[in-house]
Amino acid sequence: MIKEITAQMLDTESFIKEKVAEIKTAVGTGTAINALSGGVDSSTVTLLAHRALASQLRTVFIENGLMREGEPERIARLFKKLGVPVEIVDARNEFFSALRGITDPERKREAITQTFYKKVFGRIVMESGSVHLLQGTILTDVDETVAGIKRQHNVFEQLGINPEKAFGYKIIEPLIQLRKDGVRMLGRALGLPNEISDRIPFPGPALAARVIGEVTPERIATVRRATAVVERVLTGIKAFQYLAILHEDRVTGMRDGKRDFGLQIELRSWDSVDARTATPTRLSFDMLEKLAHEILADVPGVVSVTYNIAPKPPSTIEAV
Ligand code: XMP
């Protein structure tokens, strides 16, 4: 049983002190590897681990081909400014080959997990001789996995999987007692700039969690464009998270006076405190129209844009 630390209970300074000491003890004179994705959780863990380990930490950004527009370069640049060197590892082919032909949500997550931890990370860790992997798993990830709602890609122990046996390394998860609001506080206390600490959450399986049906480079490119539009238009609104989903079904539309069997994009925007429950943001109709117009103008092949109005539960925040 993991003991929760709520944002109200969290004393960031003593938490940092305690975790820095724990990480130092666990890693000793060895080295640790840390996969940075640019999300709030992994960014916070990167700064925490950097504080504990300095040059004993190697931070990699796995370019899995499923990230948002310009993300690997942007994050590497930003962390460089914070004094943390980040190495970008191009693993796009490995992820897309593993995802080829898969449409079932759980199998998709499993393919990403296996590619990430076993293939790509296994290789990097083996080459480095390091046996420790630092990871930003939070309590919400654990809850949902244990409840069987969704397999979060970063939860092993709770599923009875021993990562040392399965993948050959130990996982250190210093944020596991916190939820998102606590992680944001901690990130800020560690010097994470607001553009990251206030960032809306982004799932581990990245844009693959937003493609219903097969994940191909082309379909990811579509959802990536739509995501960029949604994030641009909705930046600054009061919402927990907003996203675009590419549907599997096509629908008939009209383009240049001809029928066009085109793509459907679903938009979601959520009000939530900790992602356990969520309600759709009451966006104005003007805002919804603006979103629709910009998506239709910017994302090739789309003929339908819808807005989700179902709460979580029974919905979930992501679509896969
Ligand atoms: P759901 O879709 O389960 O999402 O309502 C809850 C929150 O978690 C994020 N999410 C994930 N994060 N690995 C992650 O690290 C995952 O597999 C994953 N799936 C969802 C989601 O964006 C939301 O904030």
Side-chain angles (χ1 to χ4, degrees):
M1 191 51 191
I2 301 161
K3 208 165 152 273
E4 175 168 3
I5 301 174
T6 62
Q8 289 72 32
M9 282 158 63
L10 178 65
D11 171 349
T12 50
E13 286 317 307
S14 59
F15 185 91
I16 292 169
K17 241 187 177 162
E18 191 183 305
K19 294 298 162 189
V20 162
E22 277 177 29
I23 296 168
K24 276 189 173 156
T25 307
V27 176
T29 55
T31 56
I33 291 206
N34 164 56
L36 171 65
S37 70
V40 185
D41 305 341
S42 78
S43 296
T44 301
V45 123
T46 299
L47 290 187
L48 190 61
H50 181 71
R51 200 174 278 204
L53 300 171
S55 63
Q56 282 170 273
L57 178 73
R58 181 169 163 213
T59 299
V60 294
F61 187 110
I62 307 283
E63 161 56 306
N64 55 14
L66 310 171
M67 294 307 207
R68 283 172 286 186
E69 236 164 60
E71 194 72 2
E73 300 74 23
R74 174 184 170 202
I75 297 301
R77 214 179 312 122
L78 193 143
F79 274 83
K80 194 173 170 203
K81 272 202 206 141
L82 295 171
V84 184
V86 177
E87 207 180 303
I88 299 175
V89 176
D90 184 359
R92 286 175 293 183
N93 286 340
E94 281 160 296
F95 280 89
F96 283 119
S97 328
L99 286 163
R100 193 170 301 138
I102 302 179
T103 54
D104 176 75
E106 279 303 294
R107 285 194 52 219
K108 242 187 241 181
R109 280 172 181 259
E110 186 60 21
I112 292 172
T113 304
Q114 291 296 330
T115 308
F116 189 89
Y117 288 95
K118 216 166 182 166
K119 237 180 141 184
V120 180
F121 243 77
R123 186 177 62 232
I124 296 170
V125 174
M126 270 230 294
E127 284 167 7
S128 74
S130 178
V131 292
H132 294 96
L133 171 61
L134 273 133
Q135 191 163 261
T137 315
I138 68 170
L139 200 49
T140 315
D141 302 337
V142 178
D143 285 350
E144 302 224 319
T145 303
V146 172
I149 297 168
K150 213 171 266 189
R151 165 74 185 277
Q152 301 286 351
H153 89 294
N154 48 5
V155 180
F156 297 108
E157 255 165 53
Q158 290 74 26
L159 293 171
I161 299 168
N162 178 339
E164 214 177 342
K165 279 212 185 102
F167 312 116
Y169 45 76
K170 295 187 184 120
I171 297 186
I172 306 174
E173 298 172 311
L175 309 183
I176 202 142
Q177 291 165 280
L178 307 178
R179 294 192 190 273
K180 205 59 116 192
D181 43 354
V183 177
R184 288 190 208 283
M185 275 173 66
L186 181 66
R188 279 191 286 268
L190 284 161
L192 198 63
N194 288 352
E195 63 172 295
I196 302 293
S197 71
D198 293 347
R199 208 167 196 202
I200 54 171
F202 189 68
L207 296 174
R210 300 174 180 177
V211 169
I212 303 176
E214 190 181 3
V215 178
T216 62
E218 296 70 34
R219 303 194 76 221
I220 286 288
T222 300
V223 89
R224 178 181 287 129
R225 274 300 265 281
T227 304
V229 172
V230 175
E231 293 194 355
R232 186 179 71 232
V233 174
L234 294 185
T235 289
I237 69 155
K238 244 181 103 263
F240 177 80
Q241 193 169 356
Y242 30 82
L243 52 121
I245 292 159
L246 174 62
H247 277 256
E248 188 168 23
D249 287 342
R250 287 177 172 258
V251 285
T252 298
M254 295 270 297
R255 201 184 297 279
D256 307 324
K258 274 203 231 107
R259 287 165 75 86
D260 178 16
F261 204 45
L263 304 172
Q264 294 191 71
I265 291 285
E266 175 188 331
L267 306 181
R268 295 181 177 188
S269 176
W270 297 105
D271 292 344
S272 177
V273 176
D274 55 20
R276 281 184 291 183
T277 60
T279 50
T281 311
R282 294 189 162 217
L283 296 179
S284 71
F285 210 89
D286 285 347
M287 181 64 95
L288 292 171
E289 270 184 344
K290 183 173 162 61
L291 284 164
H293 286 140
E294 300 217 2
I295 293 220
L296 293 171
D298 262 26
V299 192
V302 176
V303 298
S304 163
V305 181
T306 57
Y307 184 61
N308 169 65
I309 50 170
K312 171 184 177 175
S315 181
T316 56
I317 287 180
E318 306 290 344
V320 166

